[in-house]
Structures are given as structure tokens and as C-alpha cells.
Amino acid sequence: MNGLVTSKANFGTAPVFLTAISTILGAVMFLRFGYAVGSVGFVGTLVIILIGHLVTIPTAMAIAEIATNQKVEGGGEYYIISRSFGINIGASIGVALYMSQAISVAFYIIAFAEAFDPVIAYLSDEYGFFITDKRLISIPALLALAALMLTKGANIGMKALYIVVATLFISLLFFFLGSTEYNQYLTSSPLNLYVENGDGFFIVFAIIFPAFTGMTAGVGLSGDLKDPKKSIPWGTVSATLIGMIIYVFIAYKLAISASPEELVSNQLVMSMISIWGPIIPIGLAAATISSALGSIMVAPRTLQALAGDDIFPSEKINSLLSKESEKNNEPVNATLITIGIAIFFISLGNINT
């Protein structure tokens, strides 16, 4: 076997936490969480949060236990799975894991383009300039992100992550500080209200649950961590628990601030509640671009680790995919493959497709 690449960027615990929390508090939170509260009510949403974390908290604890009991090298989740269950099982899961990470880059970039709706409306109203295809935003954004990663590497990506996560938390602060007139006209507790004939509990659960699974995002940086045994447990578990608490408060704030009909019909209802509406699309852009940054750093490292274990049938393919750039030790070929997959899914033009 070639063995896994061991070069490191010597990250600490913060990058693991920031990558995980920015993925947890991402596009689903901004675009679909109001829909969840409006469809099943605050109590139903609270049940979704609790059931979801009955899955994710034990998973985070299991990752923490494995990370402290064995040496974790490059490849993150794939490395942990393959060293726990063997290369054959690890590789079969690892390939699917890599594809999910690569495709998620496209999803985050598509959601990033959704944040430009207010800008598109403004350009249309003020200047008659119409943008009818959001791929004109999403594809250039992906290419810019790819150029940043290929030329500057994970270090500059992590510096950018600090900025966008700070923007994300500022947008949440503005949301929690905001208020509406909705409460003044209530005759019953808003916590028990939801739309009639809305989507059922399990449909809403299926749409919302993937947001909670973002806690594993930071594990993919394992090969670039100074002390994985410390950083992975602390970063993963803290992001999982903090994310759960924030989601509970967001659900409560939504329930007392807008009617169920508004929550379901307006995917940017958080803008209506925030003390400064435009901060929510900015926060959405920050959340999705930070999630895309995390995925575009993690996915190539998973593919690189797979190739390092010689799981592909050709030695040339394994050598090509495990190759690093001389300048900053980035998995350059694996990154290019990831970008290609992301461009394909963005080019489909519709996130529902």
C-alpha cells in the first residue's frame, strides 16, 4: 500500500469546531426551519430536534471515543471506519461518503446563490437588469472558491472560515434581537399553532434532519490537525451540543414571531423578524459559503485517503489521486475531481432535480 499522506497544516481545535458548526447552522436553518415550525408547530419541531440529536450525539461521542483510542490520520470519517471495520468495508462506505461530500459542495453553492434574491430584485427594480439563471452566480462562485483552495490551500480557507462564521453568528444575533407585531394579536399560545393540512411530521423530519448531521464535517480535517485526539472530540461534541441549543432557541423565536402561514410560505422569514432584514441573506451567504469551504477542504482529503489505501483498480489512478502540490501540500488532483462533480450537479440547474 502507498500509505496515507501525513503532511499537516497543524490546525488546532477551532477549525474542527468552526467547520462543524457552520455546516450544522447552514442552508436548512435559514431556508427551511421556518417551514418546519409552521408545518408541525414548536412542539413538533422540538421533537424533531431531540430525535435528530438522539442520533447525532451518540455518533459524535463514538467519533470522540475512537479518536482518543487510536491514531487518526488523513481521511477523517473514512480513516476511522476503515481502521475499525477493515479496508473492504471502509472503502465501500468511503466511496459513498466521498460522493456525498463532493455533491454537498454543489448543494451549498446553489444555496449560496439563493441568498442573492434581494440583490437580484433590487437590480431588476432599479436598473432593469435581470438575472434569470442563478447558475450565473453559482458556477463563478464555485470556480472562485476552487481557485482559492488550489492556489492558497487549506490555511487561507480556514482564515476565510473565521470571517464567515463570525458573520453567521452576527446574523443570528440580529435575528434574536428582532421583534414583530405578531404577538400582540395572538389569542392563544403560539407554541401550539401550525398550518392545517401541512406536510406531515416525517416529511418535515426528513427535510430538517440532514442539518444536524453536519457535526462530522470537521472530522475530515484529521490529516491537518496538530493533535487529532484532542481536537476531534472537543470540536465535534461541542459543535453538536451548541448547535442543538441554538436550534431550540431559533424554533421558539420563530414560533412567537410569525404566523404558521408566514413561516411556511416565506423561506426568508427570518429577515422579517431580524432587527435588520438584509443581515439574514448575508448570513445565509456566509453559512453556505463556509459549508462549501468545509466540504471542498474535506472531500478531496477523503478521496486522497481512499487512493492512499490503493482501493482503486489502477495504480496510476491511486498515484494520481493521492498526489499533493509541492507548494502547500494540497490534494490538487482530488480537488479537481471534486470540483468537476460539483459543477456537474450545479449545471443541472435545479436543486430539487
Side-chain angles (χ1 to χ4, degrees):
M1 281 202 262
N2 292 334
L4 293 177
V5 180
T6 58
S7 61
K8 292 187 175 186
N10 287 321
F11 291 146
T13 301
V16 179
F17 172 79
L18 292 175
T19 303
I21 198 68
S22 66
T23 307
I24 292 169
L25 304 176
V28 171
M29 180 187 74
F30 282 104
L31 297 176
R32 293 293 180 265
F33 215 65
Y35 149 83
V37 177
S39 297
V40 299
F42 171 74
V43 174
T45 305
L46 187 61
V47 173
I48 288 175
I49 295 170
L50 294 177
I51 294 177
H53 284 85
L54 286 176
V55 177
T56 59
I57 290 176
T59 303
M61 297 296 290
I63 291 171
E65 181 183 8
I66 294 171
T68 53
N69 288 332
Q70 70 177 37
K71 183 180 180 182
V72 180
E73 298 182 6
E77 295 162 274
Y78 161 70
Y79 183 90
I80 290 173
I81 294 167
S82 63
R83 278 14 178 212
S84 299
F85 298 101
I87 295 295
N88 289 337
I89 293 176
S92 63
I93 297 174
V95 170
L97 172 67
Y98 165 71
M99 287 301 296
S100 73
Q101 292 170 342
I103 294 169
S104 71
V105 175
F107 287 164
Y108 292 132
I109 292 293
I110 291 170
F112 171 75
E114 292 294 322
F116 284 80
D117 278 347
V119 177
I120 293 172
Y122 175 78
L123 292 175
S124 174
D125 294 339
E126 295 294 325
Y127 302 102
F129 180 74
F130 297 94
I131 298 177
T132 56
D133 191 339
K134 290 179 183 173
R135 284 175 292 186
L136 295 173
I137 299 171
S138 55
I139 291 179
L142 174 62
L143 294 177
L145 200 61
L148 178 70
M149 295 305 302
L150 289 170
T151 58
K152 301 297 183 180
N155 283 309
I156 192 67
M158 195 50 60
K159 290 177 182 177
L161 198 57
Y162 279 96
I163 297 172
V164 294
V165 170
T167 306
L168 167 62
F169 276 96
I170 290 171
S171 69
L172 284 174
L173 178 63
F174 276 46
F175 165 70
F176 283 120
L177 292 176
S179 62
T180 64
E181 297 180 355
Y182 173 71
N183 259 325
Q184 300 176 14
Y185 303 102
L186 284 174
T187 57
S188 61
S189 171
L191 304 184
N192 299 320
L193 299 178
Y194 53 88
V195 295
E196 297 293 333
N197 302 317
D199 289 336
F201 178 86
F202 289 104
I203 292 177
V204 177
F205 180 87
I207 292 171
I208 298 302
F209 176 70
F212 309 144
T213 63
M215 86 290 181
T216 63
V219 181
L221 298 173
S222 59
D224 295 283
L225 299 175
K226 184 178 181 180
D227 186 4
K229 288 188 176 183
K230 174 186 175 183
S231 297
I232 289 176
W234 277 103
T236 304
V237 174
S238 61
T240 304
L241 296 176
I242 291 172
M244 179 182 69
I245 293 169
I246 291 175
Y247 268 115
V248 170
F249 281 106
I250 290 174
Y252 178 77
K253 180 69 174 179
L254 288 167
I256 65 172
S257 301
S259 69
E261 291 74 20
E262 287 176 311
L263 293 174
V264 170
S265 62
N266 184 0
Q267 68 175 0
L268 285 176
V269 68
M270 292 174 71
S271 292
M272 183 186 75
I273 300 169
S274 173
I275 58 174
W276 186 55
I279 194 64
I280 298 302
I282 293 172
L284 171 61
T288 51
I289 206 67
S290 64
S291 298
L293 263 173
S295 294
I296 210 168
M297 286 191 288
V298 168
R301 284 161 172 75
T302 300
L303 183 59
Q304 183 187 37
L306 286 162
D309 279 340
D310 290 337
I311 70 109
F312 298 109
S314 168
E315 182 62 33
K316 289 184 178 180
I317 293 176
N318 289 316
S319 176
L320 191 69
L321 293 178
S322 59
K323 182 180 178 181
E324 294 182 331
S325 62
E326 295 181 2
K327 180 180 178 182
N328 49 27
N329 297 320
E330 285 296 305
V332 58
N333 291 330
T335 300
L336 290 172
I337 295 294
T338 302
I339 293 164
I341 293 171
I343 288 177
F344 170 77
F345 280 92
I346 291 174
S347 68
L348 294 178
N350 188 318
I351 194 167
N352 293 324
T353 302

